[in-house]
Amino acid sequence: MPSDTRNKNVGAPGAGPPQTGPRLWGGDLASETRESNDSPLAPGLYLVATPIGNLGDITLRALDVLRRADRIACEDTRQTQKLLNHFEIATPTISCHEHNERERAAELVVALQSGARIALVSDAGTPAISDPGGWLVRAAIDAGIPVIPIPGANAALNALIASGFAATEFHFLGFLPEKAGARRSLLEDLAHQPRAASATLIFYEAPHRILETLADLESVWGPNLRIVVARELTKIHEEFLRGTITELRATLASRDRIRGEIVLLVEAPAQSPASAETTANESLAMRVARMQSEENIDEKEALKRLAREMGQSKSELYRELQRQRARRR
Ligand code: SAM
């Protein structure tokens, strides 16, 4: 977890949970949560979200579980130790990362079956979201162990809610492939999925690759696609860059160096204003997919309308569509 925080004093070291048992907020204010202060922590696997930069974002419940668990399984024990030291938590840690998760899961499940309380954390944010955890969770579920999420920080969702883009439907894709060819074909595939292209897209991206990715997005969806680059969320240099691909490529390219952690958001490509250039460069297959999603029509109707617009026969357009699809296979 990055060490620079905006407010290191929030969440005072050693701050314990409230003296009375934590209460539910919402529908049933009088009910206690399953981790009552008066009773030992219930056995099970606790998925504990940790801050993505600002230590103040740890929750009271996360601190309570981390303090009372038998063991904390960590993506990187040294990283988590800094967090534990800050909050004066002495619970023993054990590593559980992408290279040992399967073997470790088997070992932890044995402990869980004999009643252990294990907390799982990643370096930052919510475990199992582009982070280790999924394997252990599945192994615990298969063994009939209770799995308890302890909610908290997550970069994708916080970037989304401040992006200004529709949050009713979104498509989280994590990290794009590193290899240019694979990245390009994933984006092209997305462009051909009307459902995906009509939702906000969310990616995690490394600063040294952001310019390449923006160039790929531009070649698939054109220069007018609206995007947000959310950088260094919750930290001192938190920044939201909003604009079209062209604008943000220019802004970022003008910097000496692009630093920090980045969430890249793309406004539903099917709703972005398509420039004349985009339409000209669009394949027939992309145009059909876009019309299906924007106009809520089926492929047959999209071809009929396009045939009228382009002064071509529907069957000729249908054959061209099949040719384009065959080339993509
Ligand atoms: N599990 C984490 C979560 O819940 O967000 C994500 C872990 S993933 C390995 C790390 C990536 O998340 C970073 O490369 C970056 O894309 C994004 N990320 C994490 N913290 C961030 C922050 N403070 N600001 C912007 N992006 C962040």
Side-chain angles (χ1 to χ4, degrees), residues 52 124 126 129-131 154-155 175 204-205 233 261-263:
I52 54 170
T126 300
I129 302 292
S130 294
D131 264 342
N154 167 254
F175 290 99
Y204 284 159
E205 193 47 285
L233 292 168
E261 297 189 279
I262 291 176
V263 181

Side-chain angles (χ1 to χ4, degrees), residues 284-285 287-293 295-310 314 317 321:
L284 178 63
R287 256 183 112 175
V288 168
R290 187 165 55 76
M291 284 177 73
Q292 281 183 255
S293 126
E295 296 167 39
N296 201 18
I297 53 176
D298 63 12
E299 182 179 296
K300 219 167 132 195
E301 181 59 25
L303 279 174
K304 197 166 122 194
R305 292 186 195 180
L306 272 175
R308 217 179 302 132
E309 194 181 303
M310 296 162 79
K314 213 172 81 189
L317 282 189
L321 187 63

